Structure formats: C-alpha cells, structure tokens
Amino acid sequence: MGKRIVVFDTTLRDGEQSPGCSMNTKEKLEMARLWARLMVDVIESCVAIASVDVFEAVKTISQNVKGGPIIASLSRARDIDIDRSWEALKYADRPRIHTFIATSEIHIKYKLKSTQEEVLQAAIAAVKRAKGYTEDVEFSSEDAHRSDQDFLCKVVEQVIKAGATTINIPDTVGYGLPWEFGARIKNLFDRVPNIDKVVVSCHCHNDLGLAVANSLEAVRNGARQVECTINGIGERAGNASLEEIVMALRTRKDLVDWETGIVTEEIYRTSKLLTSIIGIPVQPNKAIVGANAFAHEAGIHQHGVLQKPLTYEIMTPESVGVPQSRLVLGKHSGRHAFKKRLEELGMTLSEEALNKAFIRFKAVADKKKEVFDDDLLAIVEEEVMTPSETYSLDYLQFTSGTNIVPTATVRLKRADDILQESGWGDGPVDAAYKAIDQITKVQGRLADYSIRAVTAGKDAMGEVVLKLEVNGHTVMGKGTSTDIIEASVRAYLNAINKIVGREGPPKDQAAHRGV
Ligand code: KIV
Ligand code: ZN
C-alpha cells in the first residue's frame, strides 16, 4: 500500500472566493455532506469572521458533519479572527484552526505595511492563540513561493515550535514552475530542523495552468497534504483541481507511491452538484469531469475502445462515477422513483423538502418528455437549497415579436400580499424586469446575464445565471424553467430575494397591491 496523502478541500473557502461562486449555508452543508462521502480528510469551511452568514455556515457544518473529516476555518493572524473561528468550530468532532500571514517582501511591504520581524511575531502569536483552543493548528505562509527562502525557513521553524501541526506552503499567485516549486518544498526538508514534527502541505493556484503539476511536484518532494477544490474553482484562475490530483495519483500508481483515501466513484456527482449550485459549468474538455472527458468521437478511437477500453481510456468512467445512463424520469414517474434517483445522486431530502421538489418535478415533467439528472439537480437546487423567499412568482404573461413593443405583466406573492405590475422594454426579459423593479423597489444594475440549456434537446430546461449590483453589493441569481423568460424572471427574483433578505422589503409597497 502507498503512503497516504491528506486531501484538504477548500472549495467552500478559496473556491467560494472566485467571482460568482458564492453559496448559502444550506448549499454549503449539502456540499460538505458530499465531501464526507467522498472521504476528503479536511473540509475548509470558510473564513468564520468574514460575515454573520459565513460564521453560521462554519457553525452549521461543524454541528452537522460528524464522525468524518476535520473541519477547518481560516483566520488571519489576529486574535479576533482566531477567537471567532473557534466560536464556530468548537462544535466539530475534529476542529482545525488554520491561520495565515503573508511572508513575501512585496506583501509585507505593500499590503501589510510591516516588517519581517513583526510578521514573524504575529505568526508565532497566532499559532499560540490557536493552540490554546485546539491541538490541530495549520499555519500558512501566504505567497510562500515568492518569499525570501531564508525568512520562510525561519518562520516555519518558529511556528512549529509554537505548536503548528501542519505547515502549508501556498503559491498564492500561481507563479511557480513545477521543478521550482518542488525545490521550495525540498528546501524546507533540508533546512528546517524540526520539519519532521509536522505535515507539510501545498496550496497551488492555477494562474499559469500549473496548479496540479506543482502540487504533484510538491508531493514528490515530501508534501503530505494537498489543498485543492472540486472543478478547480478558486481565486482568479482557480486552485489545483481535486479530481485531477486524485486521479493522477491513482492512475499513475506505477510511478507514484502515494495514495489518497478519496472514494473516486463519488467524484462525478460531487462535481455535478457544485456546478448546479454555483451555476458555472465546467468546460466540456475539462479533465475527469468534463462532458467530453470519456467521449470518443473519432471512428478509429471508438473501434479501439469497443475492442479494449484501455486502448484510448487510461481510466474508466465508472472509476469516477460517471453514470452509465443519464435518462431517468418522466411524467409518469412517481414520488418513490423520484426520491430513489435523488438518493442515487447523493441527496437525501427531508419529507417537506422532498414534497416541494416533487411538485416542481411534476410541473417540469409535464412540459418535458424526459427529465435528466441535471434537471433534477437544478430543481432541487432551486426549490430546496434556496433560502425561503420574500417574493415568489405567481403569474407571468408577456408579449413580444417583430415590430411590437415587448410588454410583460408580473404578479408576485409576498407573505399574504399579491403584488402586480406591468412594464415594457427592449425585449420580454427587460419588460418583466421593469415590472419586478416597480413591485420590489429594488434599484439594481444587471451586471451579468447568461443562459444555457441544462441538458440536451429542444425541450431542455434553460438555466439563467445573472449578477445584480445593488448599493455596491453584487449578488448572484439563478433560475431554471423550460421557458427561458420564466427562467430569467426566476433568476432575477432569486437575486432580489437575497438583497431584500439582507435589507428587508421596502416600506411603501401597499400601493402595489394590484389584485
Ligand atoms: O492562496 C493562498 O495563499 C491562500 C492561503 C490564505 C492559504 O489561500
Ligand atoms: Zn489560495
């Protein structure tokens, strides 16, 4: 058996930092449960101090994801951050405080406006503070790759003395080349006298497309923890992709003597759920989880694969959990079949949530002959994981065409109120959005709008993902329907509900009680 690599998943923290990838607490909990099935070793569940919502997410995960992975929360090297992390983490079976400070000259001088000595002292103090709460303390040297290596060695040695149990070496800006990053890791083993007391970790960003290669090189040079994200999401160009690292180690067992505890058959559905939650699809040619990763187009390839899969497949689709058949349900499918398929997709819903999702499923199945897994994920995401709404869509009617002015009438429910307005615009979506603006009084700017088909076929559900900017905040909205105008309205309302959920509905809405 090979040596064990610790898989540290930071999708909920670094991954969520990428534009448009934010998740609510329910979504984070659902994802964390899937990670527990995937058997990741550590789930970094956000930066507890970032906001009340984020704090709640860390706490909820700590309270609910039991008996499996370590739950970590990131904290700057400050008492207040570390204390807050502990407040949220103390419910976890296996809590880890992860603290960090930048050690590169450029960060120390321009970002921290500090000195190496102050940084060193802050790092030691942070680790000691965290150690007062828990045995398991990780220290990260932000921008380690570009740091002065003498200083890095000094910091690492001192924080180990202070009690750190994992030392993480990030290539924060994705600057390193594989052999260079590997040499950084080796340097620590050569020069830091107490390095054998800790697990050395790597955390690579993908700005040059080298995050996975750099992580593997780190492992080759002694790192025993890899920090990574599902689908490689993360700041800017993202982080090292979990599925690529894990499958590289598994597929090239002949060359590498390290293995992970990941249940690789869970990879595909975890990736799918994440895609459905954040609304950002992976590119079709993405390694391991892309739609084309196991598709063979050329006749000669197809022939070879039929004769012997290994001719063109270095790993099987089954090994990462790609389902054999994607067709699942239709309008005659009952509640039992619906529930069973959701369970196969990794989602166990409460009775109430199941009922809600089933009603929507029936409505979709009435319009659409075949309901696929991706449709089901979209339904559950919208009906179950979206927090309770202030406004819900009750009625939508629009007219549009060539040489006519597009108009829309929208009726919304808010508690016991029915609110109705009409609008006109450049197109039916614009008209409907104007009607909604009049009802909700939310003055926002549509900063981004995209639409895609969730599955293939003319009757596919359309998924709209948009960004709405209101008072300097940007929120993401997502909506699905077989009707793309309705999907657009649902996405817009989803964003507005997030805004009013934070700020409360405007006061003077009585005037809009239209019907
Ligand atoms: O990229 C980075 O340096 C990080 C650390 C804070 C761990 O995300
Ligand atoms: Zn990072």
Side-chain angles (χ1 to χ4, degrees), residues 362-421:
K362 278 294 188 191
V364 170
D366 268 347
K367 294 188 187 149
K368 199 173 180 300
K369 256 202 335 252
E370 297 163 332
V371 180
F372 296 90
D373 288 348
D374 288 355
D375 296 321
L376 294 180
L377 287 173
I379 290 170
V380 171
E381 161 56 13
E382 201 170 318
E383 292 300 316
V384 179
M385 293 196 205
T386 307
S388 48
E389 306 168 309
T390 306
Y391 296 102
S392 61
L393 179 63
D394 189 45
Y395 170 89
L396 167 69
Q397 190 257 321
F398 51 87
T399 51
S400 182
T402 316
N403 298 330
I404 64 165
V405 176
T407 58
T409 301
V410 180
R411 197 163 70 206
L412 303 182
K413 272 193 195 157
R414 181 168 61 84
D416 293 334
D417 294 339
I418 301 285
L419 312 157
Q420 179 172 308
E421 284 292 351

Side-chain angles (χ1 to χ4, degrees), residues 335-374:
R335 201 168 171 284
H336 183 71
F338 176 71
K339 182 175 175 206
K340 186 160 174 289
R341 190 60 193 173
L342 286 184
E343 279 167 6
E344 282 163 6
L345 290 171
M347 276 169 297
T348 315
L349 304 186
S350 68
E351 276 304 290
E352 192 196 348
L354 189 71
N355 288 343
K356 216 173 156 211
F358 187 64
I359 291 171
R360 182 77 192 279
F361 159 72
K362 278 294 188 191
V364 170
D366 268 347
K367 294 188 187 149
K368 199 173 180 300
K369 256 202 335 252
E370 297 163 332
V371 180
F372 296 90
D373 288 348
D374 288 355

